[in-house]
Every structure is written in structure tokens, then in C-alpha cells.
Amino acid sequence: MKKVLLAVILISGCGKAEEKISDEVTISVLNECAATITFYNNHTGAQYSKDIFDCEYVSVLRIKVAPGTYKVKAETSQGKTVTKTFTKSIYAETLHIEF
């Protein structure tokens, strides 16, 4: 009985770890309805990814980002900008941007 219980615990534990590994970053923008979100490689400065957040269509923006350190720049059409450093691990992450 102990061997069966141990096997069930090991299998269920492995399944949970695999589910969490993800390149997904969920981005929420506060105090603005639309912004262009750009990820730059923190070491080289090269643009990695770019997308547009628009609250009329979605409440959060989901993008795929490989693990690493990035400079994230959010810019509105009125010229307001927010820049922050973001470190992506191998797990799903959430990034809040507040103007």
C-alpha cells in the first residue's frame, strides 16, 4: 500500500511542475486604456517583442517571452512612458504596469 501511495504522490507532483513551466507573461496596464508594450534584451538592447494593449478588447495581454532579463517600455499615444526591468523565469509570470 505504501508503494502505491508513494507512486501516486510522485506522479501527481511531477504533473503539477510540468503545468507551471511556461513562456507566458500576463501583462496588466493600470490607469490607461491603451499602450504599446515593448520588451528589449537587457544585455544587448535589441528589441525582443512588441505588442499593443487595448482595454476595449482585452483586460490583460498575454505574450510569450523566453526566460531572461528584459527592459520593458510601455508607451501611450499621448506620449506617457513607463520603463521597468523585468526578469522572466521558466514559469508563467505576471507583469503590472502602472502609469
Side-chain angles (χ1 to χ4, degrees), residues 5-95:
L5 180 61
L6 180 60
V8 171
I9 291 171
L10 289 175
I11 291 172
S12 66
C14 291
K16 288 180 182 176
E18 289 177 24
E19 290 177 59
K20 292 181 181 179
I21 295 175
S22 173
D23 284 346
E24 187 171 276
V25 175
T26 304
I27 302 170
S28 64
V29 176
L30 306 171
N31 302 329
E32 286 293 332
C33 190
T36 301
I37 312 294
T38 309
F39 281 73
Y40 297 94
N41 182 303
N42 201 43
H43 301 292
T44 65
Q47 182 177 322
Y48 177 81
S49 177
K50 185 175 186 175
D51 210 335
I52 296 173
F53 172 84
D54 189 339
C55 71
E56 291 184 18
Y57 299 105
V58 295
S59 58
V60 294
L61 180 63
R62 290 183 174 87
I63 62 171
K64 300 285 185 182
V65 176
T69 303
Y70 300 90
K71 181 175 110 175
V72 180
K73 181 179 178 183
E75 186 171 5
T76 68
S77 59
Q78 294 85 22
K80 294 181 191 176
T81 61
V82 172
T83 304
K84 58 186 348 181
T85 302
F86 175 71
T87 302
K88 170 72 175 84
S89 69
I90 62 171
Y91 303 107
E93 302 275 345
T94 302
L95 175 61

